[in-house]
Amino acid sequence: MKGTGKHRRSGGDRPGDDAPHDADRDAAPPGDATSILSPPLTGEPPDLRARRSWAHDALYALAEARGRRLEERGDSRFGEVYTLIVGVVVFTAMAGSLASGVFSRSCSGPLCAGAVEGSAYAWLALAIAVATAGALAVGARALGPAGLSAARRSWFASAPIDRALVVRGPLTTVISLLAAVGGVVGLLVALTASAGRSDLPSLLAGGAAGAAAAAFGVVLAGLVQTSRLARAWTIVGWCLLVAGILTAALAVAPWSTSAMPAVPALTSVPVVPVALGIGLLALLGAVLGWVVLRPRLRTMPLIELQRAGDTSEAVISSLLMLETTALDELRGSRALAKRGRHRSRPMRGRGWVAIASAELRRLTRSRTPIVVAVLLVAVPVLVSGLLGAVPAIIGAALVAVMLGNGSAGGLRLWTRSSSVNRMFPFAARQVRAAYLLVPALLVSGWLAVVCLLVGLGWITWAVLAVAAASAVLRAAPESSVGLAAGNVVMTPQGAIPVGLIGILMRGPDVAVIPVVLLLAGFPGAAFMLALAFLVGFLWRD
């Protein structure tokens, strides 16, 4: 790096232009602070070569510092890569084994016994591929895919360096992560298309094609991020996701299987050549797209990098803390930052009615829990078509608890904040019931639709609705996630994370007990037990 003009020393120990910048940088040891100092600037902007050199030096220094921190902890980069590869392989093997067991041994629903088995499996495989493509488009757009964290924006956003080199690291991480997910989905598509009877070459070809297609989708999303087609891209992604979910539900539902158009069985199709051809085309498209995308990263707007970085940090924080508080805060801040008029209305009603009306208004304004609830209606229908009614009831109970917890942000805030707790001059059970009303209505409506589609009775609906409401109250109080999640018990079979299991089971545990009684043939006792749980959690101190 050479200076482009005379610069006199004006005091202090700053070197002048006659200092041998190239020699100093080449002679400096790796990680030395002097190796990342840029030469003094004049009024002329530096050229691309100089900015790329400065970016390389800064990233190299950060990598060296990170390596030293890993060495202090007794870890290494090889260990991180090894753990990641092993995790992907284990997850893929578990997903493939589960899907193979479902199709070959456990499948007892209408899909396995139907007369149009080949058509149903073909439609289901197509639905999985389409829904995954839509989810990939929406997820890649939410994650950027090119973005910078708050720390990197603070150091590199205004620095005179090549922004493409700084963005390339997080972007390749997103591509690798979603490519691994695409490989698992490709394996499931190949397994579903052949009704669980695929051989190893077909599964490997399907996984490779899925990984290549996912990488191509992420690169294409990066190109869209640098254009004005971002909104259209998101709309197309949501349309594909909804179409895939609806097709999957129609392919396995007993009331719609016979109405689906007949599709020839895929057993006679050469799966390996077709999958490899699709994978090669997707890989070629990903490489060409990356060549086009790399120079565009230099002109990526900072607002786009900030949006993607904030979303990634919120997702990581929610996964680590096992709750959606970070995502809720991000969604609320973005809603306030939108352009246009914001109508602010006072709370209507008095007492608990005002609290319930405010929660209902928050739910309708957010719309995210409602959209998620509509999309998740297909989950019990799919489980019922593949595994029968009993697993469908268990799956519906777990999804209902998840939906209730996702829409109970006000209840969690009131329960976990002592200052907010003292704001309401009502009894605790009244405030708790007011905050519970909106999540209970959402869960009850969702369960009513599910029971109607699956063919379950009203007593099943009542037990599931009351059990889910009691589970929401059970999960609302704050748990010491940071302390309890690290509790591990050593057993002869290995280490068991009892703290993490306890946190994940907090809430579903009180919903599972009435469901077990219901499946055992005691619906009256199951309803009374679920109601006792609900009343007990409402009246607790």
Side-chain angles (χ1 to χ4, degrees):
M1 294 182 296
K2 295 184 178 180
T4 56
K6 297 296 182 181
H7 183 84
R8 298 180 179 274
R9 185 174 302 184
S10 57
D13 55 353
R14 184 176 179 180
D17 183 64
D18 53 348
H21 301 293
D22 285 338
D24 288 346
R25 187 192 62 174
D26 297 335
D32 190 6
T34 59
S35 63
I36 62 173
L37 292 178
S38 62
L41 299 177
T42 61
E44 301 178 0
D47 56 2
L48 179 61
R49 182 178 179 181
R51 289 188 285 119
R52 289 179 62 87
S53 178
W54 300 342
H56 277 299
D57 291 340
L59 294 176
Y60 179 75
L62 288 178
E64 286 294 320
R66 185 169 180 268
R68 286 193 294 268
R69 288 198 303 268
L70 291 176
E71 291 177 359
E72 292 174 358
R73 296 203 310 256
D75 202 350
S76 63
R77 298 175 186 174
F78 175 77
E80 289 187 342
V81 175
Y82 175 77
T83 304
L84 179 62
I85 294 176
V86 170
V88 171
V89 172
V90 170
F91 178 73
T92 305
M94 292 175 60
S97 177
L98 177 62
S100 178
V102 167
F103 288 122
S104 61
R105 294 183 297 273
S106 303
C107 190
S108 59
L111 177 65
C112 299
V116 287
E117 181 179 343
S119 297
Y121 280 120
W123 281 110
L124 184 58
L126 178 64
I128 294 175
V130 173
T132 304
L136 178 67
V138 176
R141 174 58 188 162
L143 295 176
L148 291 178
S149 61
R152 289 209 168 199
R153 289 197 308 269
S154 177
W155 285 102
F156 297 134
S158 59
I161 60 177
D162 187 11
R163 184 176 293 179
L165 294 178
V166 180
V167 177
R168 188 173 61 186
L171 179 58
T172 53
T173 302
V174 175
I175 293 176
S176 303
L177 177 63
L178 295 183
V181 176
V184 176
V185 174
L187 185 147
L188 294 178
V189 170
L191 194 62
T192 305
S194 60
R197 295 184 291 270
S198 292
D199 52 357
L200 184 59
S202 300
L203 295 179
L204 294 179
F216 173 68
V218 177
V219 173
L220 190 60
L223 292 174
V224 171
Q225 189 180 5
T226 60
S227 64
R228 298 182 179 180
L229 302 175
R231 185 177 181 82
W233 173 269
T234 305
I235 294 175
V236 171
W238 278 110
C239 292
L240 291 176
L241 180 60
V242 173
I245 292 176
L246 291 179
T247 304
L250 293 175
V252 302
W255 39 266
S256 62
T257 304
S258 58
M260 297 294 290
V263 177
L266 299 181
T267 55
S268 59
V269 177
V271 178
V272 176
V274 173
L276 290 180
I278 294 175
L280 289 176
L281 289 177
L283 183 60
L284 179 61
V287 172
L288 295 178
W290 179 257
V291 173
V292 178
L293 178 61
R294 285 185 60 183
R296 292 191 179 186
L297 295 177
R298 297 189 181 96
T299 59
M300 181 78 68
L302 183 59
I303 189 65
E304 276 292 321
L305 300 177
Q306 179 180 358
R307 179 194 62 81
D310 291 343
T311 303
S312 301
E313 290 182 341
V315 170
I316 295 173
S317 177
S318 297
L319 291 177
L320 293 178
M321 299 303 296
L322 301 177
E323 59 180 13
T324 60
T325 303
L327 289 175
D328 294 338
E329 293 179 354
L330 178 63
R331 191 184 307 116
S333 62
R334 287 183 177 177
L336 294 177
K338 287 183 178 179
R339 296 181 179 179
R341 299 175 59 185
H342 300 273
R343 301 180 63 180
S344 179
R345 300 174 182 174
M347 299 175 65
R348 297 182 180 275
R350 295 178 178 273
W352 65 271
V353 178
I355 300 175
S357 63
E359 285 296 294
L360 182 61
R361 184 188 306 168
R362 184 181 63 84
L363 178 66
T364 54
R365 283 183 176 181
S366 175
R367 297 190 300 273
T368 300
I370 300 176
V371 174
V372 173
V374 172
L375 295 178
L376 290 180
V377 168
V379 173
V381 178
L382 284 171
V383 176
S384 175
L386 291 173
L387 304 177
V390 174
I393 293 176
I394 299 175
L398 296 178
V399 175
V401 173
M402 184 189 70
L403 290 176
N405 289 330
S407 59
L411 178 62
R412 288 196 302 270
L413 177 62
W414 174 81
T415 306
R416 301 178 183 185
S417 176
S418 58
S419 59
V420 178
N421 201 322
R422 293 191 295 264
M423 288 174 58
F424 300 102
F426 316 120
R429 60 178 179 272
Q430 294 179 341
V431 181
R432 196 176 288 116
Y435 276 117
L436 180 64
L437 182 60
V438 173
L441 289 177
L442 176 64
V443 170
S444 300
W446 184 84
L447 286 172
V449 175
V450 168
C451 292
L452 181 63
L453 294 177
V454 178
L456 303 176
W458 65 270
I459 187 64
T460 303
W461 168 80
V463 172
L464 294 179
V466 178
S470 60
V472 172
L473 290 176
R474 158 80 168 156
E478 184 176 7
S479 60
S480 301
V481 177
L483 299 177
N487 294 338
V488 177
V489 174
M490 300 302 298
T491 65
Q493 288 76 25
I496 298 179
V498 293
L500 181 60
I501 295 175
I503 293 173
L504 294 178
M505 290 300 298
R506 183 181 177 87
D509 51 358
V510 299
V512 169
I513 301 176
V515 172
V516 171
L517 287 178
L518 175 66
L519 297 177
F522 303 99
F527 178 77
M528 295 304 297
L529 182 60
L531 188 61
F533 282 149
L534 179 62
V535 174
F537 286 124
L538 278 176
W539 255 259
R540 67 182 175 184
D541 295 333

